[in-house]
Amino acid sequence: MITHLLFDHDGVLVDTEHWYFEATRVALARLNISMTFDDYKQHMVDGKSNWVDATRNGATENEVEAARAWRDERYQYYLQREDIDIPGVPEVLDELSQGFQMAVITTSKRRDFELIHRDRTLLNNMAFALCREDYDKPKPNAEPYETGLQRFGVTPDKAIVIEDSERGLAAASAAGIRTIKVYNEFVAHQQAESDYTIQSLRELPELLRGINN
């Protein structure tokens, strides 16, 4: 029986991925590098750095680092000004909190994560949240989700992971945890395997009832 839910964050609970892409795109443009949405999506699949082309084009290490820092600041600018809420998520989490223990396992940096949730209530039903600084090896390594299981003190068969990306689903599978893939246009092109698939988080309560019955 599933008793614990481990949620990815970006693209699952909040709609931030477009704005991270946009901040990266503009930062690269400052180095005279053009990156399309298709380029960005492919980099997500093959693990290629978005900054390789800048280095090949003659940008120095210091220039790349300065552009990365500018990207990070620009992303935070977007997080504070753009609509990143996903309709229905608060209500779904409120409902699920009645029957499950829940946590967030994300590769987001802690400062971005805290900025996103400064004026939101999505974390009210979460036992804890693990950010990039809370483990050594990021997804697709199993460590983030293994750390979540350890924090809860449960075995993999008691939990299920809600993810949207190939890297996140691979991390959960490596930790021996069943997975639910939520549709997200940013990662829909990825051939990511999962135990279950839903189009919206609104479908999650009914799916979990079916799994536990």
Side-chain angles (χ1 to χ4, degrees):
M1 183 173 181
I2 301 299
T3 56
H4 291 70
L5 308 180
L6 303 179
F7 287 88
D8 179 42
H9 183 245
D10 299 280
V12 174
L13 299 181
V14 286
D15 188 15
T16 55
E17 293 180 314
H18 168 77
W19 299 110
Y20 192 79
F21 156 72
E22 183 62 16
T24 304
R25 184 192 67 77
V26 177
L28 285 168
R30 290 163 61 90
L31 296 176
N32 297 315
I33 299 298
S34 176
M35 182 184 68
T36 67
F37 183 41
D38 286 341
D39 294 333
Y40 184 78
K41 290 191 295 182
Q42 186 58 43
H43 293 174
M44 292 174 69
V45 172
D46 59 28
K48 176 183 175 183
S49 169
N50 294 307
W51 305 92
V52 169
D53 290 339
T55 302
R56 290 175 178 170
N57 201 43
T60 67
E61 182 177 338
N62 286 341
E63 288 173 332
V64 170
E65 287 305 309
R68 285 178 180 268
W70 187 93
R71 185 272 314 275
D72 292 345
E73 293 301 321
R74 188 68 174 181
Y75 180 51
Q76 291 206 326
Y77 171 87
Y78 290 142
L79 292 179
Q80 295 176 81
R81 290 164 175 80
E82 301 296 341
D83 181 10
I84 60 172
D85 293 321
I86 299 177
V89 169
E91 292 80 7
V92 168
L93 296 182
D94 284 343
E95 179 180 350
L96 293 174
S97 69
Q98 304 304 309
F100 299 93
Q101 289 289 303
M102 304 187 295
V104 177
I105 313 294
T106 179
T107 54
S108 292
K109 297 174 183 175
R110 176 67 65 177
R111 67 173 188 170
D112 294 335
F113 186 84
E114 291 179 347
L115 179 61
I116 288 169
H117 294 285
R118 185 175 60 191
D119 298 314
R120 289 182 170 82
T121 61
L122 296 183
L123 301 183
N124 287 359
N125 294 314
M126 299 294 173
F128 59 85
L130 298 181
C131 293
R132 180 61 189 89
E133 295 85 351
D134 296 318
Y135 47 83
D136 294 326
K137 298 177 182 178
K139 304 170 187 179
N141 191 279
E143 184 182 349
Y145 283 116
E146 289 176 340
T147 304
L149 292 176
Q150 292 167 5
R151 182 75 68 88
F152 270 133
V154 297
T155 53
D157 60 297
K158 297 295 184 182
I160 201 161
V161 164
I162 301 90
E163 270 277 3
D164 66 334
S165 73
E166 183 177 22
R167 294 172 67 83
L169 292 165
S173 294
I177 312 172
R178 282 178 285 177
T179 56
I180 299 172
K181 179 171 63 175
V182 183
Y183 176 82
N184 182 331
E185 66 171 333
F186 256 72
V187 293
H189 62 289
Q190 299 179 6
Q191 301 300 311
E193 295 184 358
S194 61
D195 294 290
Y196 306 93
T197 303
I198 55 178
Q199 291 296 304
S200 164
L201 213 65
R202 294 181 190 271
E203 301 172 28
L204 185 56
E206 182 177 357
L207 174 60
L208 290 169
R209 283 192 290 270
I211 293 172
N212 275 342
N213 288 334

